[in-house]
């Protein structure tokens, strides 16, 4: 697992951040899913089936994050399974990847229900025996969210049909489609619904391609004056910034750190400019000296040694 994959998994596994993420994608920022109502599930999905040779085939996939969510909303209680797939790069077959995860989650529910019925021997009809699933049995809905943590615009598919070539329009109603639930920072138009520091992460990712916009965001949003250490580390990794983090600090003033970094950059630029100026001056003087020595009949070898440049460089000066 890469550093980015590991960081994203640990970062969004935090229930407060995950609840904030889900509320913004699923409920428009309303605080419906609470951190304490998210319960860890095994992220390993295993599905077994009989192959053509009658041997059992087992397929195993590992999700980034997978949790039970107990939701109380509009006077009712619901349970859903929420999975998160983090992408630091654009995935051009993500609908198939996510659909496979969801199918495995539903398949496991059917399998576990069938096991329960076999233990309790309460299957009443041959139809129920065939599937191990009765008319009264219900599945828990599965929602998979794709979080894109790149700084480019998402140009990958958003649904399964985006991956098709030419298809007869009359056939389309008969072809099941699958839509991904995508969060792409460049597409967020309102950050006010976010209640945790994932807001700062997404704001930086949205503007990382433009330093002027980054400067404007950091200056105008006071929330950047108090950003938790984990978020700053995530920002540095995913946005490619180099915000200085004091090992003793758990909360970082990103506005101040950014300004200090910019000032250091300006000073470094000035020093580099001075170095460049000195080097250009040395070259100009070396060219003048080389021409004088050539007129006096000195060899290329002697001139190169005198001006402290290689012979090929001196030859180019004298030819031009």
């Amino acid at each position: 697992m890469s550093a980015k994959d590991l960081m994203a998994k640990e970062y969004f596994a935090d229930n407060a951040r995950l609840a904030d993420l889900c509320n913004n994608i699923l409920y428009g920022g309303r605080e419906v899913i609470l951190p304490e109502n998210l319960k860890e599930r095994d992220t390993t999905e295993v599905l077994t089936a009989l192959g053509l040779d009658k041997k059992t085939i087992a397929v195993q996939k590992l999700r980034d994050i997978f949790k039970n969510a107990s939701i109380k909303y509009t006077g009712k209680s619901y349970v859903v399974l929420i999975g998160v797939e983090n992408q630091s790069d654009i995935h051009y077959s993500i609908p198939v990847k996510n659909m496979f995860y969801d199918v495995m989650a539903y398949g496991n529910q059917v399998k576990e229900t069938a096991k329960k019925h076999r233990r309790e021997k309460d299957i009443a009809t041959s139809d129920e025996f065939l599937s191990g699933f009765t008319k009264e049995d219900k599945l828990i809905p599965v929602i998979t969210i794709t979080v894109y943590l790149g700084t480019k615009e998402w140009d990958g598919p958003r649904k399964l049909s985006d991956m098709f070539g030419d298809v007869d329009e009359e056939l389309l109603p008969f072809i099941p489609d699958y839509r991904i639930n995508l969060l792409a920072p460049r597409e967020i138009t309102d950050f006010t619904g976010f209640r945790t520091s994932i807001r700062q992460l997404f704001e930086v990712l949205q503007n990382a391609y433009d330093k002027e916009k980054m400067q404007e965001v950091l200056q105008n949003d006071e929330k950047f004056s108090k950003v938790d250490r984990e978020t700053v580390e995530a920002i540095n990794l995913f946005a490619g910034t180099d915000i200085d983090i004091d090992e003793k600090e758990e909360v970082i003033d990103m506005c101040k750190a950014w300004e200090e970094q910019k000032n250091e950059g300006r000073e470094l630029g000035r020093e580099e400019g001075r170095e460049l100026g000195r080097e250009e001056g040395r070259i100009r003087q070396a060219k003048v000296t080389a021409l004088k020595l050539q007129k006096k009949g000195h060899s290329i070898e002697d001139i190169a040694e005198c001006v402290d440049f290689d012979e090929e460089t001196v030859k180019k000066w004298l030819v031009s």
Side-chain angles (χ1 to χ4, degrees):
M1 185 177 289
S2 71
K4 286 185 176 181
D5 290 337
L6 187 59
M7 167 72 80
K9 184 174 181 178
E10 291 180 352
Y11 186 76
F12 286 106
D14 175 81
N15 276 2
R17 296 189 189 112
L18 181 58
D20 195 17
L21 176 74
C22 293
N23 284 326
N24 274 273
I25 294 175
L26 307 177
Y27 289 103
R30 298 190 302 279
E31 198 170 9
V32 176
I33 298 175
L34 303 178
E36 59 267 27
N37 292 335
L38 290 168
K39 306 299 179 187
E40 202 77 39
R41 284 180 68 94
D42 187 355
T43 57
T44 305
E45 299 279 17
V46 180
L47 195 60
T48 57
L50 286 177
L52 295 175
D53 58 358
K54 303 300 181 182
K55 292 183 179 179
T56 300
I57 300 172
V59 179
Q60 178 174 305
K61 292 287 183 180
L62 190 65
R63 282 182 177 266
D64 288 341
I65 297 167
F66 199 39
K67 298 196 180 189
N68 263 72
S70 300
I71 303 170
K72 294 181 180 179
Y73 190 56
T74 63
K76 295 183 179 180
S77 296
Y78 309 92
V79 175
V80 296
L81 304 181
I82 297 178
V84 174
E85 294 305 313
N86 300 300
Q87 293 296 143
S88 55
D89 297 299
I90 297 170
H91 196 306
Y92 290 103
S93 64
I94 194 69
V96 173
K97 177 185 177 183
N98 287 2
M99 182 172 64
F100 194 43
Y101 280 133
D102 291 356
V103 167
M104 292 181 76
Y106 286 125
N108 282 331
Q109 289 185 56
V110 171
K111 184 177 71 175
E112 292 304 313
T113 300
K115 281 184 182 179
K116 178 176 177 292
H117 286 310
R118 284 198 297 270
R119 285 196 307 268
E120 299 178 359
K121 298 180 180 179
D122 58 358
I123 294 292
T125 69
S126 58
D127 296 328
E128 293 174 344
F129 183 81
L130 179 65
S131 63
F133 206 78
T134 72
K135 188 176 180 179
E136 289 73 30
D137 289 328
K138 303 297 177 186
L139 293 172
I140 300 174
V142 179
I143 299 171
T144 296
I145 296 169
T146 299
V147 180
Y148 173 51
L149 295 166
T151 58
K152 298 188 297 184
E153 289 190 15
W154 178 272
D155 63 357
R158 296 168 186 266
K159 54 185 185 296
L160 184 64
S161 57
D162 289 343
M163 299 175 65
F164 297 158
D166 291 334
V167 179
D168 184 347
E169 289 189 6
E170 289 189 49
L171 296 179
L172 288 176
F174 304 97
I175 303 173
D177 208 348
Y178 179 91
R179 176 180 57 82
I180 67 171
N181 303 302
L182 175 69
L183 185 146
R186 292 281 289 273
E187 298 173 6
I188 299 174
T189 57
D190 183 5
F191 290 93
T192 58
F194 292 101
R195 291 175 167 81
T196 67
S197 55
I198 63 174
R199 168 177 174 167
Q200 282 72 56
L201 171 61
F202 292 146
E203 281 194 271
V204 170
L205 288 174
Q206 184 181 82
N207 297 286
Y209 71 99
D210 189 323
K211 288 186 177 180
E212 288 186 6
K213 287 188 176 180
M214 271 280 287
Q215 179 69 23
E216 185 180 341
V217 167
L218 290 171
Q219 285 180 337
N220 296 335
D221 190 345
E222 63 178 17
K223 290 184 180 295
F224 278 100
S225 64
K226 294 181 180 180
V227 185
D228 64 271
R229 181 191 189 89
E230 289 181 343
T231 297
V232 178
E233 289 174 348
I235 287 171
N236 278 343
L237 184 60
F238 294 112
T241 55
D242 190 24
I243 303 297
D244 188 45
I245 302 174
D246 190 318
E247 293 183 2
K248 298 177 182 178
E249 294 181 348
E250 291 301 321
V251 177
I252 290 89
D253 185 340
M254 276 193 65
C255 309
K256 181 181 177 183
W258 179 268
E259 193 63 32
E260 289 175 349
Q261 185 186 55
K262 193 172 66 172
N263 291 337
E264 288 173 4
R266 279 198 291 262
E267 182 57 37
L268 181 61
R270 284 193 289 268
E271 181 59 33
E272 288 176 346
R274 287 192 288 269
E275 287 292 334
L276 181 61
R278 285 193 287 268
E279 180 62 12
E280 288 176 346
R282 189 173 79 89
I283 293 172
R284 282 195 299 271
Q285 184 59 49
K287 286 181 179 179
V288 171
T289 303
L291 288 168
K292 287 181 179 179
L293 292 174
Q294 183 190 39
K295 288 178 181 179
K296 291 181 179 180
H298 289 276
S299 68
I300 296 292
E301 183 178 356
D302 290 339
I303 295 171
E305 183 176 354
C306 180
V307 298
D308 196 22
F309 279 88
D310 61 84
E311 291 182 22
E312 285 300 316
T313 300
V314 171
K315 282 180 184 179
K316 289 178 183 178
W317 291 345
L318 299 178
V319 169
S320 61

